[in-house]
């Protein structure tokens, strides 16, 4: 049985093939072959440019396709451009290619691509939905376009999970409350983040005596919902001279760099840019004393789980599934830079508390370890395939 799966990630392509960041390379998609005969990925993709900047930006990307995995590409457009005739034609073409033989359909939702591909639902032998976030929250800071799109995507997500033959959530409870599954169909909870067991075998990062700490933030800088602006303001308000490493890149990077300069943070903020997923990020986390993620919205943030598994104390906001893995002592109100600054100073003065939190975090991250997670993903895939072959 074929699996057709959608992705919100924007691929790149050349005459040599289709490419994505390391997280979404061939290994990510080929694991579905344990249950399905072949996999077709539907996603937006832009042609890779030939400039030095373009080549540098994509140097760490991996090939998406390979034995058993191919891609049907949509134009790499956003917003109102999605309504262009060329996009509609590409959707029709992708649908025809993907369903040239019977297939199960898996939507990674919410997102634009599942919305565009909704006409495929009646053609699928079975529908699976992987709920990775809440559009009502994630689009809150996206201006007028977000205000228009959020309720539409929320209604679409509710419709999908009610209709799905099998549903997978990245949270244990939070997204399930917002978008209840069909009680008559199998439902699962698991992240698709790879957390190898080796992370728990390494010693946790050492904690300094304080009061100033080495902080790290990891996240895409394309939207404001990760809260980096709040963290920068908190850094400027804090009594101690904490330092911050920012791992990530995106459209808002220059804006954040300007904010850091305006706040007088100078060399206290180090901009690392994007790092390959996996070992490179884990290595960066291990060089710091505290991970901070003051998000305005989340599903179940992958990098938070990575930081916990590495053995870092973490401070975050009570959004999405975050309260399922962090205690109240590690949570600060959304958008409150002063509260975050106070918490940073309090934790900086208490290395024993940071060490206690690091030990606690490793224990709470253990259920997300790769082998335990794989069993739950496999059960979800099998449930979807079983529905498709009835």
């Amino acid at each position: 049985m074929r699996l057709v799966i959608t992705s919100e990630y924007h691929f790149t392509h050349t005459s040599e093939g289709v490419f994505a960041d390391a997280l979404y390379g061939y290994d990510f998609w080929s694991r579905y072959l344990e249950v399905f005969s072949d996999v077709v990925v539907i996603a937006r993709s832009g042609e890779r440019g030939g400039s030095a900047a373009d080549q540098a930006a994509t140097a760490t990307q991996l090939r998406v396709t390979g034995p058993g995995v191919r891609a049907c590409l949509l134009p790499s457009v956003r917003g109102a451009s999605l309504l262009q005739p060329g996009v509609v034609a590409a959707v029709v073409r992708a649908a025809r290619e993907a369903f040239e033989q019977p297939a199960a359909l898996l939507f990674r939702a919410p997102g634009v691509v599942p919305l565009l591909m909704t006409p495929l639902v009646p053609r699928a032998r079975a529908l699976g939905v992987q709920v990775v976030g809440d559009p009502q929250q994630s689009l809150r800071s996206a201006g007028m376009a977000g205000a228009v799109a959020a309720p539409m995507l929320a209604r679409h997500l509710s419709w999908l999970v009610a209709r799905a033959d099998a549903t997978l959530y990245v949270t244990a409870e939070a997204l399930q409350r917002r978008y209840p599954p069909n009680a008559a169909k199998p439902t699962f909870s698991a992240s698709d983040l790879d957390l190898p067991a080796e992370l728990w075998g390494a010693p946790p990062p050492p904690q300094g005596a304080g009061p100033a700490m080495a902080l790290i933030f990891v996240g895409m800088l394309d939207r404001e919902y990760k809260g980096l602006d709040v963290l920068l303001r908190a850094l400027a308000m804090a009594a101690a001279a904490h330092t911050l490493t920012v791992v990530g890149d995106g459209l808002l990077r220059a804006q954040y760099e300007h904010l850091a300069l305006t706040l007088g943070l100078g060399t206290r903020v180090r901009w690392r840019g994007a790092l390959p997923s996996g070992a490179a990020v884990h290595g960066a986390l291990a060089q710091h004393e505290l991970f901070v993620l003051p998000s305005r919205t989340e599903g179940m943030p992958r990098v938070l789980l990575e930081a916990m598994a590495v053995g870092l104390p973490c401070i975050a906001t009570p959004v999405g599934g975050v309260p399922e893995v962090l205690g109240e002592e590690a949570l600060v109100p959304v958008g409150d830079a002063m509260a975050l600054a106070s918490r940073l100073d309090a934790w900086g003065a208490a290395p024993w508390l940071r060490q206690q939190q690091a030990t606690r975090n490793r224990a709470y991250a253990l259920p997300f370890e790769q082998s335990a997670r794989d069993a739950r993903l496999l059960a979800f895939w099998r449930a979807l395939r079983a529905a498709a072959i009835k």
Side-chain angles (χ1 to χ4, degrees):
M1 175 63 63
R2 168 176 290 178
L3 176 67
V4 177
I5 182 170
T6 67
S7 173
E8 282 299 288
Y9 182 78
H10 288 246
F11 296 160
T12 60
H13 62 271
T14 69
S15 59
E16 299 178 350
V18 182
F19 301 86
D21 284 348
L23 180 63
Y24 294 113
Y26 175 74
D27 286 349
F28 181 90
W29 307 106
S30 62
R31 60 187 180 166
Y32 292 96
L33 297 175
E34 188 168 350
V35 172
F36 296 93
S37 60
D38 64 306
V39 176
V40 178
V41 186
I42 300 178
R44 289 170 284 182
S45 180
E47 189 169 3
R48 183 187 297 180
S51 69
D54 287 334
Q55 293 298 320
T58 56
T60 60
Q61 290 191 327
L62 299 179
R63 188 180 297 273
V64 171
T65 55
V69 178
R70 65 186 180 92
C72 290
L73 303 181
L74 305 178
S76 187
V77 294
R78 306 173 190 267
S81 300
L82 292 165
L83 303 178
Q84 293 175 353
V87 177
V88 175
V91 168
V92 172
R93 182 171 60 253
R96 186 182 303 116
E97 293 177 5
F99 282 87
E100 61 189 5
Q101 67 184 60
L105 176 61
L106 174 55
F107 282 149
R108 291 171 58 87
V112 169
V113 179
L115 189 65
L116 289 173
M117 306 309 294
T118 299
L120 295 181
V121 172
R123 302 180 61 177
R125 287 291 185 91
L127 172 65
V129 180
Q130 182 173 355
V131 185
V132 299
D134 180 0
Q136 294 277 37
Q137 299 294 322
S138 61
L139 293 174
R140 179 179 293 173
S141 61
M144 183 61 71
V148 172
M152 176 173 59
L153 289 176
R155 288 193 297 271
H156 184 249
L157 182 55
S158 294
W159 180 83
L160 287 176
V161 297
R163 187 184 179 94
D165 295 289
T167 311
L168 176 71
Y169 294 83
V170 296
T171 60
E173 298 178 357
L175 290 171
Q176 289 88 329
R177 288 194 297 267
R178 297 279 291 184
Y179 302 95
N182 185 335
K185 303 293 184 178
T187 303
F188 305 86
S189 173
S191 168
D192 55 16
L193 168 68
D194 291 335
L195 285 180
E198 292 76 19
L199 288 180
W200 283 265
Q207 292 294 325
M213 298 177 293
L215 316 179
I216 184 169
F217 166 97
V218 182
M220 292 295 292
L221 307 183
D222 283 324
R223 293 184 185 175
E224 296 180 346
Y225 73 83
K226 290 294 183 180
L228 179 56
D229 57 316
V230 180
L231 177 53
L232 292 172
R233 295 183 192 281
L235 202 65
M237 294 176 181
H242 308 293
T243 60
L244 172 65
T245 297
V246 177
V247 175
D249 212 339
L251 299 174
L252 300 180
R253 175 171 171 174
Q255 176 180 315
Y256 290 134
E257 289 180 342
H258 178 72
L259 176 60
L261 289 174
T262 301
L263 293 170
L265 295 173
T267 57
R268 289 173 57 193
V269 181
R270 180 188 180 199
W271 305 87
R272 287 286 304 273
L275 294 177
S277 302
V281 172
H282 301 158
L285 289 167
Q287 295 170 11
H288 295 80
E289 296 173 282
L290 179 69
F291 173 73
V292 188
L293 189 67
S295 301
R296 294 178 169 93
T297 179
E298 287 289 354
M300 177 61 77
R302 296 166 177 265
V303 70
L304 173 62
L305 298 176
E306 290 177 296
M308 293 172 66
V310 166
L312 275 181
C314 302
I315 293 177
T317 46
V319 294
V322 174
E324 296 175 2
V325 294
L326 290 184
E328 289 186 8
E329 70 282 357
L331 302 176
V332 295
V334 175
D336 193 335
M338 181 59 75
L340 178 55
S342 297
R343 191 67 54 89
L344 292 176
D345 284 337
W347 282 34
W352 62 269
L353 175 60
R354 283 181 270 133
Q355 188 60 57
Q356 183 185 75
Q357 287 293 310
T359 301
R360 175 225 179 264
N361 285 352
R362 276 193 148 173
Y364 270 75
L366 195 56
F368 297 89
E369 187 271 327
Q370 194 166 323
S371 60
R373 183 282 319 268
D374 284 350
R376 296 192 294 275
L377 287 181
L378 188 61
F380 169 62
W381 299 339
R382 285 174 172 166
L384 180 57
R385 185 179 184 276
I389 63 177
K390 282 184 179 178

